Amino acid sequence: MKHYEVEPNATIGEIKSMFHKSHPQWYPTRQSIRLDAKGKSLKDEDVLQHLPVGTTATFYFRDLGAQISWVTVFLTEYMGPLVLYLMFYFRVPFIYAAKYDFTTSKHWVVHLACMCHSFHFVKRLLETLFVHRFSHGTMPLRNIFKNCTYYWGFAAWMAYYINHPLYTPPIYGEQQIRLALVLFLFCQIGNFSIHIALRNLRPPGSKTRKIPYPTKNPFTWIFLLVSCPNYTYELGAWLGFTLMTQCLPVAFFTLVGFIQMTVWAKGKHRSYLKEFRDYPPLRSPILPFIL
Amino acid sequence: MTCVFNISCMSSTLYFLSVKPAKHKCWTQPEQQQQQQQGQGLSKAVSCPPPPTPPPPLLYHPAPGTMASSEEDGAVEEKENNNKRRTKSAIATAWLTFYNIAMTAGWLVLALAMMRFYIHKGTHKGLYRSIARTLKFFQTFALVEVGHCALGIVRTSVIVTGVQVCSRIFMVWFITNSIRQIQNEESVILFLVVWTVTEITRYSYYTFNLLHHLPYFIKWARYNLFIVLYPLGVAGELLTIYAALPFVRRSGMFSMRLPNKYNVSFDYYYCLIVVMLSYIPLFPQLFFHMLRQRRRVLHGEVIVEKDD
């Protein structure tokens, strides 16, 4: 048993660093420290003095497992779809029959779809690097395998059919594609506006949480009706892409993404309600008035 | 893994930090109690935190082969002394008892029909056809068990039960029912026998549990027969799917080719190959889980699980 001396105004973060020194395999982001075995983790910013402990205190430690930074995970999981889709678009050998190697599709919607898909993931990569402010630095390492399988797998599945030599363009032709493109672009701008609005809620390097409100940007006015409009816009963008390509795997990807985002939106909505007593009552988690 | 930090104050300005690994039981630290007298009052330390309760035994026959529902002891755990709740749980218990008795009876009927056929005809050819309807009925009815989990009257994960029941449904409806040419294969008889024995044991176990009169031999059967039945069942299923492959390939059943307006394709043949490969990761996991349950239930060993 080791003893450490700590000032009463020490933070949990400092205690984690000290613990790390004596147990080098457990770096601070991997430690979860809590007052109760089944309770919530204490935050790094919490000060020892202000915790409900007397002169004697017992903390519980839990190993969260190997950690990886959110930025790393996001960059990796978004890089995959970008690269993989382009490989299918350019019909790299061994994907389709040899006679189609390095040919291009005769349908212009296929070129449009490639541009939209690539734009979407380049946007995501740039947002990860320059826009998002993450609450947590890290997540469990196994998540990167799970997430990359999901993104890369679906991207390859979609790209295979859209760029296939036997691809069938949308039934309603130009009209359908135009409508889909408008929807897609509208939602991309909307999604970006929301990300910027959320970023501006939080000063650099901080982890504060505030209620987001509509700004001068019309795309943010949806905050009046929805707690997580970034997910709403994301759904809209993928619906646009589904309509544009008329491809069942894309529809499937949109559906699965929607289910996951709904789960996240409901969780976020619940934590907003718990944290802020004056939270606007008109808002729904992801779909205005519906969900 | 859980460790316990002990932060105790020796003076008014300094805290000491010490670390001790904790076991799965409550322990008091002698020095804590001493300091309690010295120091002011205390907080959580001296009142021992409740030991983490070991997860309740998960009783199920996992395995793609002998996939059956995951269920808790079959008994409904009542948490509140509320009349409405008591009535609801009484109804639930009554239904579950009826359900388990009915399923035990159904699989017994199947077993008897199979034996009768073999005794009269001396061969297994045509046996599947003769019991097909009964099998389809009782195996499909097991979907209800997913509902039990969803409603919470049986404490098991919906997903686990769902996966297990779906794999059985898949075998019955998408393999043996759809691909007539393999119905007289020996592997079909193999997994049918395995399923029958497993299900009779399982459902009678649940029935007796609900009635609070569990004979030891049923418990023994439930937690020992799987060691033989499970691999046999997996073998039967895999051999059946393997035998079905050429017929699937030739007929192109359940498949869709390009070009089509949905821009998707599906090849049932490759799907079956993927299904067969999926047994490789799934079978050991479920088998060893069952082994762990067996050790706990039969021999009272406390198995320290990784709490993640």
Side-chain angles (χ1 to χ4, degrees):
Chain A
M1 192 161 56
K2 290 190 174 157
H3 290 263
Y4 293 94
E5 287 189 8
V6 188
E7 298 292 317
N9 60 4
T11 60
I12 296 292
E14 286 167 18
I15 292 175
K16 283 184 182 176
S17 310
M18 294 178 69
F19 190 60
H20 171 48
K21 287 212 189 80
S22 63
H23 296 83
Q25 74 274 26
W26 291 326
Y27 39 88
T29 46
R30 191 169 168 155
Q31 300 175 30
S32 162
I33 303 217
R34 36 182 95 163
L35 284 170
D36 179 40
K38 294 187 181 168
K40 268 187 72 184
S41 264
L42 294 170
K43 301 198 205 83
D44 280 8
E45 304 82 51
D46 289 342
V47 176
L48 202 55
Q49 260 182 324
H50 302 148
L51 293 170
V53 296
T55 53
T56 316
T58 307
F59 287 148
Y60 284 85
F61 158 77
R62 165 178 253 186
D63 178 19
L64 295 171
Q67 298 285 302
I68 186 167
S69 84
W70 274 63
V71 174
T72 312
V73 174
F74 272 37
L75 291 179
T76 323
E77 69 189 15
Y78 296 155
M79 226 25 195
L82 190 62
V83 169
L84 283 170
Y85 193 102
L86 289 171
M87 286 171 62
F88 285 90
Y89 175 75
F90 288 115
R91 297 197 181 145
V92 150
F94 300 109
I95 301 178
Y96 304 113
K99 65 180 176 180
Y100 297 114
D101 289 348
F102 298 118
T103 56
T104 48
S105 174
K106 58 183 180 208
H107 307 288
W108 68 274
V109 68
V110 173
H111 307 300
L112 181 64
C114 181
M115 287 190 271
C116 289
H117 187 271
S118 306
F119 170 77
H120 179 78
F121 282 97
V122 166
K123 168 178 160 293
R124 284 215 201 182
L125 283 165
L126 293 174
E127 282 173 344
T128 306
L129 289 169
F130 302 114
V131 176
H132 294 314
R133 296 222 163 99
F134 295 100
S135 305
H136 307 280
T138 65
M139 64 166 87
L141 182 65
R142 79 185 82 86
N143 277 15
I144 195 173
F145 301 108
K146 212 176 19 130
N147 292 13
C148 284
T149 309
Y150 172 78
Y151 276 104
W152 296 25
F154 262 116
W157 195 37
M158 294 193 287
Y160 175 79
Y161 289 108
I162 301 173
N163 298 296
H164 201 283
L166 296 176
Y167 170 76
T168 312
I171 305 182
Y172 296 109
E174 200 121 330
Q175 272 186 315
Q176 185 173 338
I177 299 170
R178 213 175 291 140
L179 173 65
L181 181 63
V182 165
L183 176 61
F184 179 82
L185 288 174
F186 183 88
C187 291
Q188 291 291 294
I189 301 173
N191 179 265
F192 182 69
S193 310
I194 301 298
H195 286 158
I196 294 289
L198 290 172
R199 168 198 171 83
N200 292 339
L201 281 182
R202 189 176 263 186
S206 85
K207 295 183 185 178
T208 53
R209 270 196 304 279
K210 299 208 284 239
I211 305 177
Y213 283 107
T215 66
K216 291 205 195 80
N217 182 345
F219 286 97
T220 62
W221 295 351
I222 192 177
F223 269 121
L224 292 166
L225 299 173
V226 170
S227 288
C228 301
N230 49 322
Y231 295 141
T232 319
Y233 281 122
E234 184 73 18
L235 171 67
W238 283 106
L239 279 173
F241 193 68
T242 310
L243 204 62
M244 190 192 299
T245 55
Q246 199 173 291
C247 177
L248 199 59
V250 181
F252 203 65
F253 177 69
T254 309
L255 176 68
V256 176
F258 173 57
I259 294 173
Q260 176 66 87
M261 288 192 290
T262 305
V263 170
W264 288 336
K266 284 190 174 241
K268 189 104 194 107
H269 185 77
R270 227 176 299 136
S271 52
Y272 274 146
L273 288 172
K274 237 195 272 180
E275 190 166 349
F276 304 109
R277 316 182 93 231
D278 56 337
Y279 195 74
L282 194 61
R283 295 190 190 183
S284 312
I286 187 171
L287 293 178
F289 308 116
I290 309 173
L291 205 55
Chain B
M1 193 176 82
T2 314
C3 290
V4 171
F5 282 76
N6 198 354
I7 303 185
S8 52
C9 186
M10 297 300 276
S11 79
S12 58
T13 54
L14 291 175
Y15 285 88
F16 286 85
L17 204 85
S18 56
V19 179
K20 271 184 213 167
K23 303 288 181 198
H24 276 286
K25 56 182 189 284
C26 196
W27 56 282
T28 45
Q29 305 144 18
E31 64 261 45
Q32 255 182 313
Q33 284 158 344
Q34 277 175 355
Q35 276 143 23
Q36 188 199 350
Q37 281 134 28
Q38 283 177 12
Q40 298 161 333
L42 56 50
S43 56
K44 309 216 171 201
V46 171
S47 56
C48 254
T53 46
L58 257 183
L59 316 168
Y60 67 94
H61 259 291
T66 48
M67 288 261 200
S69 301
S70 304
E71 268 185 39
E72 184 96 48
D73 291 77
V76 175
E77 279 193 36
E78 290 178 70
K79 287 181 182 179
E80 289 165 52
N81 287 326
N82 188 316
N83 269 341
K84 212 165 140 205
R85 299 256 171 167
R86 258 185 269 138
T87 327
K88 262 197 209 153
S89 77
I91 296 175
T93 315
W95 160 253
L96 282 176
T97 316
F98 163 75
Y99 173 77
N100 285 310
I101 293 177
M103 293 303 265
T104 315
W107 284 92
L108 270 168
V109 163
L110 257 171
L112 289 168
M114 283 167 66
M115 285 191 280
R116 261 186 76 212
F117 184 94
Y118 192 76
I119 291 170
H120 283 208
K121 301 287 175 75
T123 174
H124 66 273
K125 303 220 187 289
L127 186 148
Y128 178 82
R129 279 236 70 89
S130 73
I131 55 112
R133 260 188 27 197
T134 321
L135 172 71
K136 278 188 274 188
F137 177 78
F138 283 101
Q139 189 60 81
T140 313
F141 201 64
L143 275 172
V144 154
E145 291 173 36
V146 183
H148 292 166
C149 299
L151 290 172
I153 60 181
V154 169
R155 268 185 48 187
T156 320
S157 152
V158 174
I159 303 174
V160 176
T161 313
V163 165
Q164 292 169 327
V165 172
C166 281
S167 84
R168 285 288 186 88
I169 303 270
F170 171 76
M171 270 314 291
V172 169
W173 287 100
F174 290 98
I175 305 285
T176 48
N177 187 55
S178 316
I179 310 167
R180 285 168 158 244
Q181 298 94 326
I182 50 102
Q183 283 173 358
N184 287 324
E185 292 279 324
E186 288 78 7
S187 50
V188 172
I189 307 302
L190 176 59
F191 77 73
L192 278 180
V193 167
V194 165
W195 285 9
T196 312
V197 175
T198 309
E199 297 301 69
I200 294 174
T201 317
R202 187 168 70 92
Y203 286 118
S204 52
Y205 178 92
Y206 295 148
T207 310
F208 284 116
N209 244 344
L210 284 164
L211 300 172
H212 302 295
H213 279 112
L214 181 64
Y216 182 74
F217 85 92
I218 301 266
K219 189 175 180 182
W220 183 93
R222 174 140 174 46
Y223 283 103
N224 281 297
L225 292 181
F226 81 89
I227 298 176
V228 163
L229 292 178
Y230 182 20
L232 282 179
V234 166
E237 292 177 20
L238 283 177
L239 285 168
T240 310
I241 302 178
Y242 184 72
L245 287 178
F247 301 107
V248 168
R249 184 145 233 181
R250 229 179 294 148
S251 69
M253 65 189 334
F254 298 142
S255 303
M256 195 163 170
R257 305 175 107 219
L258 288 175
N260 61 72
K261 63 181 172 179
Y262 303 110
N263 288 308
V264 71
S265 65
F266 180 74
D267 195 334
Y268 192 48
Y269 178 81
Y270 290 110
C271 172
L272 286 180
I273 293 186
V274 168
V275 166
M276 288 175 74
L277 289 173
S278 74
Y279 277 60
I280 299 177
L282 291 178
F283 163 75
Q285 280 186 39
L286 296 169
F287 188 70
F288 286 115
H289 184 109
M290 206 52 198
L291 277 178
R292 268 182 272 136
Q293 294 306 320
R294 175 179 176 274
R295 258 184 281 151
R296 188 210 300 271
V297 171
L298 292 184
H299 299 139
E301 272 185 40
V302 174
I303 300 175
V304 179
E305 302 270 350
K306 274 193 197 171
D307 49 291
D308 233 298

